[in-house]
């Protein structure tokens, strides 16, 4: 007859191998998912290029430009000593 310790050891070893295999498959699946996300993101950037660095569209770019013009006017007024 087989020793119970040997049976328990063999069962634990098989269980560890099954869990390791399942984790390896999950890891590979996760890596493949991330690879696909990166490919989609890189292909989307070539067609839908944002107008400003932050990734905003045309409307946000206009708002940002208007804000910068207002800041420049205030700085010029401060430099010339005019109070707004």
């Amino acid at each position: 007859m087989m020793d119970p310790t040997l049976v328990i050891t063999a069962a634990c070893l098989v269980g560890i191998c099954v869990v390791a295999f399942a984790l390896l498959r999950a890891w590979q699946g996760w890596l493949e998912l991330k690879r696909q996300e990166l490919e989609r993101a890189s292909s989307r950037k070539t067609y839908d290029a944002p107008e400003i660095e932050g990734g905003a569209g045309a409307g946000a770019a206009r708002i940002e430009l208007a804000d910068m013009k207002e800041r420049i006017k205030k700085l010029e007024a401060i430099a010339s000593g005019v109070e707004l």
Side-chain angles (χ1 to χ4, degrees), residues 56-79:
R62 288 186 189 117
I63 292 171
E64 187 174 337
L65 186 59
D67 185 46
M68 291 184 79
K69 286 180 181 179
E70 185 66 28
R71 288 181 187 177
I72 289 171
K73 285 181 184 177
K74 287 181 181 179
L75 288 173
E76 288 174 345
I78 291 171

Side-chain angles (χ1 to χ4, degrees), residues 31-42 44:
L31 287 176
E32 183 61 30
L33 174 69
K34 292 299 176 183
R35 188 175 297 119
Q36 289 175 357
E37 286 178 357
L38 288 173
E39 288 173 0
R40 268 189 252 129
S42 66
R44 190 173 354 135

Side-chain angles (χ1 to χ4, degrees), residues 44-58 61:
R44 190 173 354 135
K45 284 183 183 177
T46 58
Y47 298 112
D48 300 332
E51 294 189 14
I52 58 176
E53 285 184 18

Side-chain angles (χ1 to χ4, degrees), residues 11-27:
C12 288
L13 184 60
V14 169
I16 289 173
C17 288
V18 168
V19 169
F21 180 74
L23 289 173
L24 179 63
R25 293 283 298 190
W27 176 252

